[in-house]
Amino acid sequence: MAREDLYMSLPYDLAGSRSKNRFRLELLWGISKMLDIYDYSDFAMVFDYVCDIEVHSENGFEFYQIKTHKGAKSYTLDAIIKAETESGKSILGKLYVLKNADNDPQRVKLAIVSNSYLKYSKKICSDVEELELKTIDKPSLKKIADALKAELGIAEIDITNVYYIFTSMNLSKPEHDMIGKIVTSFEKIKGYEPKKPNTLYRLIYDTVNEKACCELSQINYEQLIQKKGLTKAQFDKLLDCHIDKTDNSVILTQEYIKQNPDYKQRRELNVALGRVISELPRSKELQNKEKEIANYLVTKAGDLPDDFEQSIDCLISKYGSKFSIEHNKREIYIFTVLILKRFEEGMYDE
């Protein structure tokens, strides 16, 4: 059976009773996780369907159950394996059944995520952020296996790839931590600072919230990803909306001028660059010429020679005679260099 079909056969829960605050924390942790896994070649994150937070990738499935405690220093092993009175299911039991999401259970990662450390055998595990349960002591492992066997009615239990994750997320004002992480991650991912980081945070959060709040069962896997998921490509587009591309074209043009061995020509070109830069913000003629040349570069850059100097000559031959007489040859030349540098920087790609 295809893994998509196996996934769609899993039990889902769209109507869990949670406080607004807990629901918000789940979404914020999911956004944080999305930034952590950005290096995955591809992924889709699904919010609140068979589990609180899900990662679907070519490497398999990852399911994260978020459990928050106010003021609690630890979460006991008994608490995560004890069946609830109403449902008859435990926290770990509901998570463990998701191992059936793939033909190969080793491709399925399960994790309980909490702001409290795990306590087992009178030991509070505060020395590791991500604890694989199979590494704990044998009496605790037996307690887990016996509880899951009784609850789920299965003979064998394998808790390989089952984790308990401690999160240090600020529970009082988590959005502050999240905005900071978005900014630092954005610079690493895109190489630029984000424009209006608060607005970017709200855009991401509102998008994720809309996905999570869709409370309808999905008829197939494709619809599930569309309605309840956010793909890497979609997440990338959200980030791209807030790239603050600093205009380095002036610096690059100045560096280009420095390569000219003739001192007199360098001075004349720098003077011309100064005039162009000062006039461009208020000159309709120069602004229109920039749009015209930029449009040509975006649509027909392949027609230009590979050599930079020859490209300048081609553009001047095509557009140079269209400038008014108030712009001399030096200014037209350096204006063309400036536009080419902006094109190299990708400033016309949006």
Side-chain angles (χ1 to χ4, degrees):
M1 184 183 293
R3 75 168 196 156
E4 291 82 3
D5 296 329
L6 283 171
Y7 172 86
M8 294 303 293
S9 69
L10 295 173
Y12 58 85
D13 182 7
L14 295 170
S17 61
R18 286 160 297 177
S19 68
K20 252 186 190 179
N21 189 53
R22 183 189 152 194
F23 186 61
R24 182 171 62 108
L25 290 171
E26 289 175 9
L27 300 189
L28 290 176
W29 191 87
I31 294 170
S32 177
K33 185 66 180 176
M34 199 152 39
L35 293 168
D36 291 339
I37 65 172
Y38 185 86
D39 288 339
Y40 283 19
S41 59
D42 197 13
F43 66 82
M45 180 167 282
V46 175
F47 297 87
D48 200 31
Y49 196 67
V50 303
C51 202
D52 292 339
I53 302 296
E54 309 170 26
V55 177
H56 299 205
S57 73
E58 59 185 12
N59 296 322
F61 294 102
E62 299 173 25
F63 297 106
Y64 299 93
Q65 190 74 30
I66 316 298
K67 293 296 176 183
T68 57
H69 277 223
K70 283 189 176 180
K73 292 182 179 179
S74 60
Y75 212 158
T76 65
L77 187 62
D78 288 341
I80 67 174
I81 62 175
K82 182 181 179 180
E84 297 173 353
T85 304
E86 293 183 4
S87 67
K89 299 176 181 178
S90 66
I91 294 169
L92 189 56
K94 286 188 287 187
L95 192 62
Y96 190 83
V97 297
L98 303 182
K99 263 188 171 288
N100 296 323
D102 198 290
N103 290 305
D104 181 1
Q106 302 307 313
R107 286 169 46 87
V108 179
K109 177 179 180 179
L110 308 175
I112 297 170
V113 180
S114 178
N115 61 309
S116 296
Y117 294 114
L118 179 65
K119 182 179 181 180
Y120 62 92
S121 297
K122 298 183 179 180
K123 173 187 176 183
I124 297 178
C125 186
S126 60
D127 56 346
V128 60
E129 183 177 345
E130 185 166 302
L131 172 70
E132 189 169 11
L133 292 185
K134 72 174 185 179
T135 64
I136 64 179
D137 62 275
K138 289 183 179 180
S140 296
L141 287 175
K142 185 177 185 306
K143 181 184 285 190
I144 291 173
D146 290 345
L148 290 178
K149 286 177 183 178
E151 177 183 339
L152 303 176
I154 53 181
E156 296 295 330
I157 299 295
D158 178 12
I159 59 169
T160 302
N161 227 19
V162 182
Y163 294 82
Y164 185 95
I165 299 175
F166 170 76
T167 177
S168 57
M169 181 177 284
N170 179 352
L171 296 183
S172 58
K173 293 184 178 179
E175 61 276 1
H176 291 179
D177 285 353
M178 186 51 55
I179 291 171
K181 182 167 184 176
I182 286 173
V183 170
T184 54
S185 299
F186 191 100
E187 291 176 349
K188 179 182 177 182
I189 292 169
K190 295 297 182 181
Y192 298 96
E193 291 185 359
K195 290 186 293 187
K196 300 180 180 179
N198 289 334
T199 305
L200 174 59
Y201 160 75
R202 288 194 296 272
L203 174 64
I204 295 173
Y205 181 83
D206 289 346
T207 302
V208 165
N209 185 62
E210 182 181 358
K211 300 285 187 179
C213 289
C214 177
E215 295 186 351
L216 297 173
S217 61
Q218 305 303 316
I219 59 174
N220 57 50
Y221 187 77
E222 290 75 18
Q223 182 175 300
L224 170 92
I225 297 300
Q226 179 186 354
K227 299 291 186 180
K228 297 286 290 178
L230 187 65
T231 66
K232 180 177 181 178
Q234 292 169 333
F235 183 54
D236 217 27
K237 285 184 179 179
L238 297 182
L239 299 181
D240 284 342
C241 290
H242 286 262
I243 291 179
D244 185 9
K245 291 186 176 179
T246 304
D247 187 357
N248 293 318
S249 59
V250 175
I251 296 173
L252 294 173
T253 303
Q254 289 172 332
E255 292 176 351
Y256 172 78
I257 292 172
K258 288 179 183 178
Q259 296 173 11
N260 193 315
D262 189 306
Y263 168 77
K264 184 180 179 181
Q265 289 183 12
R266 288 202 305 270
R267 183 182 179 281
E268 290 173 351
L269 290 173
N270 277 317
V271 170
L273 178 62
R275 288 177 181 167
V276 167
I277 294 304
S278 64
E279 288 185 27
L280 190 52
R282 58 178 184 270
S283 170
K284 288 294 183 183
E285 179 191 357
L286 291 182
Q287 291 169 11
N288 289 335
K289 285 291 178 290
E290 179 177 10
K291 289 179 182 178
E292 189 177 0
I293 297 173
N295 182 63
Y296 175 80
L297 291 172
V298 170
T299 57
K300 296 186 177 181
D303 296 344
L304 291 174
D306 293 335
D307 182 78
F308 188 78
E309 291 290 342
Q310 292 179 10
S311 294
I312 297 171
D313 291 340
C314 284
L315 291 175
I316 291 177
S317 175
K318 186 175 180 66
Y319 297 102
S321 61
K322 298 180 181 180
F323 286 81
S324 64
I325 58 173
E326 61 185 87
H327 299 294
N328 61 42
K329 290 183 178 180
R330 292 289 186 197
E331 291 171 7
I332 295 171
Y333 176 85
I334 210 63
F335 176 80
T336 307
V337 173
L338 181 70
I339 302 309
L340 276 170
K341 291 299 181 184
R342 287 184 172 179
F343 177 66
E344 284 183 3
E345 290 287 282
M347 293 184 64
Y348 304 125
D349 292 344
E350 296 178 354

